[in-house]
Amino acid sequence: MVLARRSPPQSSRTSETHSRADPASAVTLRISMHTMKSIYINGDSYSAPDQSLTVYSQHLAQLTGRTVINRARSGMGNRNIIRTTLQDLHQAEPCVCVVALSFIHREELWCADAVWQRNPQLNARMRSTERQQGSRFITDSWLSDADTNSLPLGHRRYMDICRQWSDAYVDLYMLAHSLTQLGHDYYIFGAAHNTIGAPELDFQYRGYLFNLPQYQWCQQNPRIRMLEQFDIPTWARDRGITTSSTGHLDTEGHLLFAQWLQAEMVAQGLL
């Protein structure tokens, strides 16, 4: 994916707009400050391009007439989504960034070359958005029990759900501030279903989380949907929209979600 770098104010810029959602793999985006901002989307499988149907990024392009770049990939965790978003937009022209976050319990693991050599089936199955060969981060959603047992002992650790919730909102707080600092507008929500209902999340911890300054800042920000209060499967169910067993939308559902998202972005002054 190639995004146009920021140009000095006095230099001329080429204006190039598209009314389609372009694959993230081969997009050159050139936007003048005098044209409509493009829309950048990142997330997991709830937002990812799918050859078998038309996803909401494509519908959103048709509804808005804007360039929509979809960076979402199946199986991605939030750290990967946030990191690739900031990498893509670090020196890009200002755009409207839509971040559709995943399950907070998805963890990233660093896997060295040797792991892939011992487990070629895992290597073939993993669709990393970063390095396709050699050592790289992956999300643990791609790992079976057998895969996990083949990893170094340091990766096989207890994942603390309380830490994951705290990290999620600290990361979200920093993402929003980073995008603002880079000159990008944003709308952020959780695409995957997350709930603060696990037995580990007792009232003492919930009191800590709810009083965390970063949590409260996100809660007061109208451009952020709280992760435990919104997700695509629940959004669809509440409206009687058909989904797969995992809550993924079909083409009609993606169209309805694109229309809802467009209305939300208009209400926030993003379109």
Side-chain angles (χ1 to χ4, degrees), residues 186-201:
Y186 61 83
Y187 189 81
I188 304 172
F189 61 91
H193 179 71
N194 293 288
T195 179
I196 302 181
E200 296 89 343
L201 296 175

Side-chain angles (χ1 to χ4, degrees), residues 39-42 56 60 85 95-101 172 175-176 179-180 184-190 221-226 230 235 257 260-271:
I39 299 171
Y40 171 95
I41 295 175
N42 206 345
Y56 74 80
L60 192 60
T85 295
C95 69
V96 181
C97 179
V98 176
V99 181
L101 293 170
L172 186 49
L175 171 63
L179 291 172
T180 298
H184 304 295
D185 293 323
Y186 61 83
Y187 189 81
I188 304 172
F189 61 91
N221 189 329
R223 296 184 180 183
I224 295 176
R225 288 268 179 165
M226 300 300 280
F230 180 88
W235 174 90
F257 187 75
W260 175 87
L261 181 58
Q262 179 189 25
E264 286 288 305
M265 295 170 73
V266 168
Q268 295 302 325
L270 301 174
L271 297 176

Side-chain angles (χ1 to χ4, degrees), residues 8 41 57 93 109 133 176 210 214 227 266:
I41 295 175
S57 60
E93 292 283 5
L109 306 173
Q133 301 294 332
F210 298 158
Q214 293 86 354
L227 302 180
V266 168

